[in-house]
Amino acid sequence: MKKKRALISVSNKDGIVGFAKELVELGFEIISTGGTKNALKEGGIPVIGISDVTGFPEILEGRVKTLHPKIHGGLLAKYDDPSHQAQMSDNHIEKIDLVCVNLYPFKETISKPGVTPEQAIENIDIGGPAMLRASAKNHLYITVLVDPADYKQVIDEYKKNQGTSLETRRTLAAKVFRHTAAYDALIAEYMTNLAGEQQPEKMTVTYELKQSLRYGENPHQKAAFYQKPLGSSFSVAAAEQLHGKELSYNNINDANAALQIVKEFSEPAAVAVKHMNPCGVGTGKNLFEAFEKAFEADPVSIFGGIVALNREVDRETARKLYEIFLEIIIAPSFSDEAFEILSAKKNLRLLKVSFDGKGNKENTLSSIEGGLLVQEQDAFGFDDAEISVPTKREPTDVEWEALKLAWKVVKHVKSNAIVVSDKDRTLGIGAGQMNRVGAAKIALEQAGSKAKGAALASDAFFPMEDTVEAAAKAGVTAIIQPGGSVRDADSIKKADEYGIAMVFTGVRHFRH
């Protein structure tokens, strides 16, 4: 009985020698290329070289070796079609029953610091995807593997049934097409960036499953968490979970929101988030002081919230955090003492995030029914703004500090958004209102008497003078807003009437 044939050509050689040995024991003969052939030979496995099959040498530094009719004829033939059988016989093409291929390490190559375009391009696999796609297309007859995790299942099926089921082959073929699509998507992204294309006519993105979730925003919604290959290290996706329950869909959204806010600060800072809006932000000489300020900003809303910190959590801060019911604490690190204190809470999730990548800027993708919205991340900061002061009075030094903090925070609050703050903590936050004065009333009411002498930030301009009026009556003495309304003069006049210093930034921060 004629032997079955397996074609093996892999960059990831994990488990390949053991897999090939099992195939040989099952009656396969192995054909292979280059480094894989050498690895199998070293493992004591008899191997036929590709050149022995094609009768043609590997050429162009190995760029061409498997792109040959004697390989692709064996991969694409319909083995139960008499005309295909005849053509194979006439051209001395032999059937290939199993293909095991994975691709040049393009992702790993472009992730290396200082990699050149020439190095990246040399790691674009051509023959590998061609063999995989051909085999996957022909899965009615061929078993195709791209993932070492599937070796055992295939061997077990061969041992039990002398072959694989159509269901298995179809599942493996689908995996191959996902794999090659993801591979091509990474190449497309790299080449698009290399060419400097800003809005290509087609956009293909790829993500890798990080975690299946119990449910989405609500228990009746299925959900999963995917990670971008080579995505930012400063992210929930790249975080190391040190302790606690599995993250939920809402946890991940809230944690991301907290991280985006805390990266605005270079000084010790603490951010508390509920439902993707900050409920308290504080800064200080050290982390303990910063967290105390964030907690004091809204000791009610922080209950059950997420806290992000931009310094290592020490023992003193951990003891304060322990007193509160929190879902997640995110930090660059935790001291041994802090971890011991916080891990005593079985369900509290502790996430360690690298702050080295906080300067990375990734596009923001938002799905809509039938489409995708893509935009640059809002990385515009206070130092980027063309600041002007249209009022008679300029802010004092203390007011400037309060305005800067409020402006950093309001950028991350759902629109319409108003933030009231002093120089080192938020005092009131109005989020997601249908009109701006409504958001202001919520923020000012929360701030209460603390609004006296405080600063107020608005994510967009004032269409009416009513927000300035409300702020003035609450005791606010400085306001920062984009400006640009046709009725700016009314707001400026009202600010001057109350002696308020108003600052224009020229840039709005809508967040929907």
Side-chain angles (χ1 to χ4, degrees):
M1 190 168 130
K2 195 166 186 179
K3 280 192 172 184
K4 297 181 285 289
R5 267 195 163 185
L7 190 162
I8 301 178
S9 179
V10 293
S11 291
N12 176 4
K13 295 178 175 57
D14 291 347
I16 197 61
V17 172
F19 179 58
K21 281 181 179 176
E22 295 267 25
L23 289 176
V24 170
E25 290 173 9
L26 286 163
F28 280 85
E29 64 180 11
I30 310 294
I31 58 177
S32 189
T33 64
T36 305
K37 182 179 73 172
N38 294 335
L40 296 178
K41 278 187 173 180
E42 288 172 11
I45 297 164
V47 185
I48 302 168
I50 285 288
S51 295
D52 296 324
V53 175
T54 63
F56 201 91
E58 297 182 13
I59 62 170
L60 307 179
E61 299 175 302
R63 281 187 169 201
V64 178
K65 46 183 178 275
T66 60
L67 297 170
H68 194 281
K70 287 200 173 181
I71 299 300
H72 284 271
L75 298 178
L76 286 165
K78 297 177 182 177
Y79 298 143
D80 55 2
D81 185 314
S83 68
H84 283 216
Q85 289 177 352
Q87 290 174 67
M88 289 178 72
S89 178
D90 291 344
N91 291 284
H92 309 291
I93 296 171
E94 294 195 40
K95 176 184 176 184
I96 297 173
D97 302 271
L98 182 145
V99 171
C100 178
V101 171
N102 52 58
L103 308 176
Y104 292 171
F106 182 78
K107 180 176 80 170
E108 292 76 10
T109 299
I110 62 173
S111 68
K112 294 174 184 174
V115 66
T116 65
E118 292 74 22
Q119 291 169 325
I121 287 166
E122 278 307 308
N123 278 278
I124 297 175
D125 204 325
I126 301 301
M131 289 189 291
L132 284 172
R133 288 171 58 81
S135 307
K137 174 178 178 174
N138 212 25
H139 68 272
L140 188 63
Y141 311 97
I142 295 177
T143 302
V144 56
L145 300 99
V146 74
D147 186 350
D150 297 317
Y151 293 169
K152 184 178 183 304
Q153 178 190 352
V154 167
I155 292 298
D156 288 346
E157 282 199 36
Y158 261 98
K159 285 180 177 178
K160 185 177 179 181
N161 303 315
Q162 291 76 55
T164 54
S165 67
L166 177 59
E167 181 184 12
T168 295
R169 294 195 299 276
R170 187 159 286 159
T171 299
L172 292 172
K175 190 173 199 176
V176 162
F177 283 120
R178 291 194 299 271
H179 184 81
T180 56
Y183 190 77
D184 283 341
L186 278 176
I187 295 168
E189 182 180 23
Y190 177 84
M191 295 300 294
T192 300
N193 291 337
L194 191 63
E197 292 272 5
Q198 296 298 312
Q199 293 183 344
E201 78 290 346
K202 286 186 173 60
M203 181 179 182
T204 306
V205 294
T206 184
Y207 290 84
E208 298 166 352
L209 181 65
K210 180 178 176 69
Q211 180 185 341
S212 294
L213 302 174
R214 286 183 299 151
Y215 54 81
E217 277 187 292
N218 300 291
H220 61 275
Q221 294 171 271
K222 292 181 180 178
F225 184 22
Y226 285 82
Q227 181 173 6
K228 182 180 181 181
L230 307 181
S232 173
S233 59
F234 180 75
S235 66
V236 182
E240 179 185 357
Q241 184 166 348
L242 304 177
H243 178 73
K245 288 195 302 184
E246 184 179 277
L247 292 171
S248 72
Y249 183 98
N250 293 331
N251 290 156
I252 293 164
N253 265 327
D254 285 341
N256 177 63
L259 274 179
Q260 297 312 307
I261 303 169
V262 82
K263 81 175 182 181
E264 297 281 351
F265 297 91
S266 55
E267 68 271 38
V271 173
V273 163
K274 284 289 285 290
H275 302 295
M276 295 179 66
N277 276 306
C279 58
V281 177
T283 62
K285 295 190 297 290
N286 53 53
L287 196 65
F288 178 78
E289 185 178 296
F291 178 68
E292 273 202 319
K293 297 286 185 183
F295 175 74
E296 289 166 2
D298 190 344
V300 175
S301 297
I302 197 173
F303 182 85
I306 281 79
V307 169
L309 309 155
N310 66 354
R311 297 289 191 276
E312 179 175 87
V313 181
D314 55 28
R315 181 175 63 87
E316 186 180 21
T317 307
R319 290 176 67 180
K320 181 71 176 176
L321 289 161
Y322 184 86
E323 296 171 2
I324 308 157
F325 169 59
L326 298 170
E327 291 279 357
I328 305 173
I329 299 171
I330 311 165
S333 58
F334 297 79
S335 73
D336 291 342
E337 288 178 310
F339 181 78
E340 184 178 355
I341 291 166
L342 295 170
S343 61
K345 288 192 169 184
K346 184 176 70 173
N347 294 329
L348 176 61
R349 303 159 180 90
L350 303 179
L351 298 186
K352 179 181 175 182
V353 172
S354 169
F355 275 60
D356 292 340
K358 75 172 188 173
N360 295 343
K361 298 175 186 177
E362 293 183 355
N363 281 346
T364 301
L365 312 182
S366 301
S367 63
I368 62 166
E369 190 85 16
L372 184 74
L373 289 169
V374 182
Q375 67 172 347
E376 291 180 335
Q377 195 176 101
D378 185 358
F380 194 95
F382 188 87
D383 293 336
D384 302 311
E386 294 183 7
I387 298 295
S388 63
V389 180
T391 50
K392 294 175 182 177
R393 186 173 78 80
E394 291 208 2
T396 65
D397 289 345
V398 172
E399 286 173 338
W400 273 118
E401 293 305 307
L403 289 167
K404 288 177 183 178
L405 188 146
W407 186 246
K408 288 177 180 178
V409 177
V410 80
K411 167 180 165 183
H412 298 276
V413 179
K414 299 291 185 182
S415 301
N416 287 315
I418 297 289
V419 171
V420 178
S421 78
D422 60 23
K423 65 183 178 62
D424 51 18
R425 65 171 169 170
T426 56
L427 302 170
I429 298 172
Q433 297 307 299
M434 287 64 71
N435 61 72
R436 195 154 302 281
V437 72
K441 286 177 179 176
I442 292 171
L444 292 166
E445 183 180 346
Q446 186 184 18
S449 61
K450 294 177 183 146
K452 291 179 181 176
L456 179 147
S458 173
D459 65 327
F461 63 60
F462 299 142
M464 309 283 286
E465 64 184 38
D466 49 6
T467 301
V468 180
E469 179 83 35
K473 288 182 176 178
V476 167
T477 58
I479 291 174
I480 187 167
Q481 58 132 325
S485 168
V486 294
R487 299 187 63 175
D488 274 348
D490 293 343
S491 295
I492 295 166
K493 182 180 178 182
K494 184 61 67 175
D496 283 335
E497 183 183 319
Y498 284 100
I500 291 174
M502 184 180 288
V503 173
F504 283 178
T505 64
V507 172
R508 77 179 188 201
H509 287 301
F510 274 166
R511 189 173 185 83
H512 293 103

